[in-house]
Every structure is written in structure tokens, then in C-alpha cells.
């Protein structure tokens, strides 16, 4: 039981990601943080557009195959 109590009262350690964000906050100025955040947002947007392109290509190929079978 004492062991269970100790487990409940033990401090929670921060995650690695949280620790890295804290270090980044301390080391980088505001402009660099903003630039890094904007760059990551651009990466995510590029990935989304690439996924949309692949999906559109699959739709176009399916439509092309369907129309070629119909003629």
C-alpha cells in the first residue's frame, strides 16, 4: 500500500516533446519560433496538397477507365 501511495504522489515528468519545446522557448527568439512554426505549417500544407493530388489522380484514372470501357 505504501508503494501505491508513493506512485500517486510522485511528480509527473514532462514529456520529451514538452521538454524540447521548453528548451526551444528559452533558446530561440520570438521571430525564430514564429519562422519555425510557419515552416512546419507549410510542411503540413504541402503534405495535404500532395495527398489531394494523389486522390485526384486516382479519381481521374478511374473515370478514364470507366469511359474507355463504355465506348
Amino acid at each position: 500500500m505504501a508503494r501505491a501511495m508513493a506512485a500517486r504522489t510522485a511528480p509527473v515528468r514532462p514529456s520529451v516533446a514538452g521538454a524540447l519545446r521548453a528548451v526551444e522557448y528559452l533558446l530561440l527568439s520570438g521571430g525564430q519560433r514564429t519562422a519555425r512554426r510557419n515552416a512546419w505549417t507549410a510542411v503540413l500544407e504541402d503534405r495535404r496538397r500532395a495527398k489531394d493530388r494523389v486522390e485526384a489522380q486516382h479519381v481521374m484514372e478511374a473515370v478514364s477507365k470507366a469511359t474507355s470501357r463504355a465506348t
Side-chain angles (χ1 to χ4, degrees):
M1 175 142 174
R3 201 170 166 179
M5 293 283 288
R8 284 188 214 150
T9 60
V12 177
R13 289 189 292 176
S15 67
V16 173
L20 289 174
R21 276 194 295 273
V23 169
E24 177 187 33
Y25 179 79
L26 292 172
L27 295 178
L28 299 178
S29 68
Q32 288 174 320
R33 277 193 307 275
T34 300
R36 186 174 296 229
R37 197 175 317 117
N38 289 345
W40 182 244
T41 301
V43 166
L44 295 177
E45 184 65 19
D46 287 345
R47 288 178 182 174
R48 186 195 60 77
R49 281 194 300 265
K51 181 181 172 190
D52 289 348
R53 278 194 303 274
V54 169
E55 289 174 1
Q57 182 180 0
H58 290 178
V59 168
M60 295 297 287
E61 289 171 355
V63 168
S64 175
K65 288 178 185 175
T67 57
S68 65
R69 278 190 257 152
T71 55

